[in-house]
Amino acid sequence: MSAGRTIFETEHDDFRALVREFIAREVAPHAEEWNDAGMVDKQVYKAAAAAGVMGFNVPEAYGGLGIDDFRYNAIVAEEMNIAGSGANGLALTLINDILAPYLLRLTTEEQRERWLGPMASGSLLFSIAMSEPGAGSDLAGARTSAVRDGEHWVLNGQKTFISGGLLCDAVVVFCRTDPDAGHKGFSLIVVEDGTLGFEKGRKLDKIGLKSQDTAELFFADCRVPVTNLLGTEGMGFRHLMENLPAERLSIGVGAVAGARRTFDDTVKYAHDRQAFGQSIGSFQANRFMLAEMATELDIAQTYIDDCIRRVLTDDLSAVDAAKAKWWCTELHKKVVDQCLQLHGGWGYMLEYPVARDYQDVRISTILGGTTEIMKEIIGRDLGF
């Protein structure tokens, strides 16, 4: 993925080789097992940490590598998507791109000592709980509440669609702490596994991303120490918004890489597969379809790389990230659909990677903010 691109340097190419080796050694051999089980082996996170592909952005003082360079995050996102279905359950981007920045930016020194080291070693897995049965895109509609009672917060409510919800050792919960304060009435509170009143529900049965456990979480008079407040009380909504550009860019990065892999596989198939005495790619309709996808992927990669540059200079706006997220995930969906069509009947068979790609890609235009929400962000920036 680095060939012909100008944003990476030698150390990034070395890191990419390391990530590929880790996936080949620790992930690929277990792909089918994890897919059937509906979750990955939790021990693989310790292996990821030991290899330096998870928690690398945690400071050395807390057990990480102290690498604050989004290009490393991008490489992990790309290589996980290039690896395909076998890697989709391993939530490295969730940890590196979403949770680590929250914990690095919002924690007190006591919280850093308690959480960052174990997270960097892979022994303490975090998840984040935002969506609810009645509040997905509209986070302001979240009803999970936390009421202060002395030295504790008392949480009540339900969360759903939580990635890593069953494997997590702790979860960052977006909850309402002031019912009368509107957007300023939300906070982030860390609830650790085993806390009385915190229960993990069923593993949700999804169309795709089979090896990623996705769960419901329940809180019933769940008492959490006030020291588990993450960031500032009442600033939970703003805290989420501060990290959303990088989160959404990460999704776009992975989408382009995943689309490129499916496309490359299909180009090879279109050369090898014969029909009516010639390769299927040589028919004009198919050749034009492949030409269009090749062009759109190059354009998408150029925009993604420009966004990565802007992350490095702290110049990536929420609007830029929204454009990257919706365009690249919609392109990913389109590319996979067209590539499946080019495979014909074989594309519908799960023995071909394109079939699983088709299952997995559908969530990409929904998670992290739907395409419609991304367009709403962009439209408002235009003054409408």
Side-chain angles (χ1 to χ4, degrees):
M1 287 295 294
S2 295
R5 299 165 69 186
T6 60
I7 62 171
F8 297 113
E9 300 172 16
T10 301
E11 59 265 32
H12 301 111
D13 294 335
D14 293 342
F15 182 70
R16 188 181 296 279
L18 183 152
V19 176
R20 286 185 178 176
E21 191 278 331
F22 165 77
I23 292 173
R25 184 184 72 248
E26 301 288 350
V27 179
H30 307 290
E32 292 304 320
E33 172 191 345
W34 293 347
N35 195 69
D36 293 342
M39 65 175 64
V40 306
D41 184 342
K42 196 172 183 177
Q43 295 304 309
V44 73
Y45 288 99
K46 292 184 178 179
V53 301
M54 187 184 84
F56 50 78
N57 43 4
V58 173
E60 293 182 45
Y62 303 102
L65 298 177
I67 298 174
D68 182 19
D69 181 344
F70 189 79
R71 287 172 289 187
Y72 286 80
N73 300 64
I75 288 168
V76 173
E78 288 178 349
E79 292 302 319
M80 295 296 285
N81 278 273
I82 290 169
S85 186
N88 66 40
L90 191 55
L92 295 185
T93 55
L94 173 67
I95 295 169
N96 290 335
D97 303 348
I98 300 177
L99 288 159
Y102 287 138
L103 295 172
L104 289 169
R105 190 178 74 249
L106 301 176
T107 45
T108 64
E109 182 57 36
E110 184 273 332
Q111 290 172 335
R112 293 189 191 100
E113 294 286 349
R114 185 154 44 114
W115 294 328
L116 285 184
M119 185 187 74
S121 71
S123 60
L124 182 66
L125 297 184
F126 274 85
S127 187
I128 186 163
M130 293 184 279
S131 296
E132 298 184 3
S137 295
D138 180 20
L139 278 179
R143 300 178 63 182
T144 296
S145 66
V147 178
R148 180 74 179 263
D149 181 22
E151 293 304 303
H152 290 83
W153 291 103
V154 182
L155 275 70
N156 283 282
Q158 176 184 353
K159 296 291 182 178
T160 195
F161 309 141
I162 308 307
S163 300
L166 294 179
L167 286 181
C168 71
D169 301 297
V171 58
V172 178
V173 181
F174 178 73
C175 53
R176 188 182 294 274
T177 49
D178 186 342
D180 301 316
H183 282 72
K184 295 182 179 180
F186 294 95
S187 301
L188 302 178
I189 296 176
V190 175
V191 181
E192 290 158 305
D193 194 18
T195 302
L196 190 64
F198 170 38
E199 292 188 10
K200 299 176 180 180
R202 64 191 174 101
K203 176 164 60 67
L204 300 175
D205 191 14
K206 309 185 299 296
I207 291 175
L209 297 180
K210 291 291 188 179
S211 58
Q212 182 188 87
D213 71 289
T214 305
E216 297 173 315
L217 304 178
F218 300 92
F219 307 91
D221 293 331
C222 177
R223 298 181 66 84
V224 180
V226 294
T227 52
N228 280 24
L229 176 71
L230 187 62
T232 303
E233 181 181 346
M235 297 289 285
F237 210 94
R238 176 175 290 185
H239 291 328
L240 292 185
M241 296 304 107
E242 288 169 349
N243 201 51
L244 275 177
E247 293 176 27
R248 287 171 174 161
L249 176 58
S250 178
I251 296 171
V253 167
V256 175
R260 175 70 71 179
R261 179 189 56 78
T262 303
F263 174 76
D264 289 345
D265 288 348
T266 302
V267 169
K268 183 178 185 305
Y269 181 85
H271 277 293
D272 296 341
R273 177 70 170 172
Q274 299 286 310
F276 305 102
Q278 64 190 88
S279 69
I280 64 168
S282 65
F283 290 95
Q284 187 183 65
N286 295 341
R287 189 167 66 247
F288 280 14
M289 185 187 297
L290 290 165
E292 290 172 6
M293 286 190 281
T295 304
E296 289 172 322
L297 285 168
D298 284 350
I299 292 169
Q301 191 68 75
T302 299
Y303 185 71
I304 284 291
D305 286 358
D306 185 59
C307 286
I308 292 172
R309 286 191 187 93
R310 281 183 274 168
V311 172
L312 301 178
T313 57
D314 198 26
D315 192 35
L316 181 72
S317 72
V319 174
D320 295 331
K323 292 175 181 177
K325 198 276 177 183
W326 90 258
W327 175 259
C328 294
T329 56
E330 290 289 348
L331 177 62
H332 190 188
K333 188 172 67 172
K334 172 186 172 182
V335 166
V336 170
D337 183 66
Q338 291 182 337
C339 286
L340 189 148
Q341 187 72 18
L342 286 167
H343 277 74
W346 290 114
Y348 205 63
M349 302 297 110
L350 285 172
E351 64 191 86
Y352 276 79
V354 70
R356 287 194 177 175
D357 294 344
Y358 187 82
Q359 291 178 315
D360 292 345
V361 74
R362 191 59 189 86
I363 190 60
S364 66
T365 59
I366 299 172
L367 61 76
T370 65
T371 291
E372 292 73 23
I373 293 297
M374 298 302 99
K375 291 180 179 179
E376 182 70 17
I377 293 169
I378 299 162
R380 288 182 180 180
D381 186 62
L382 297 174
F384 296 105

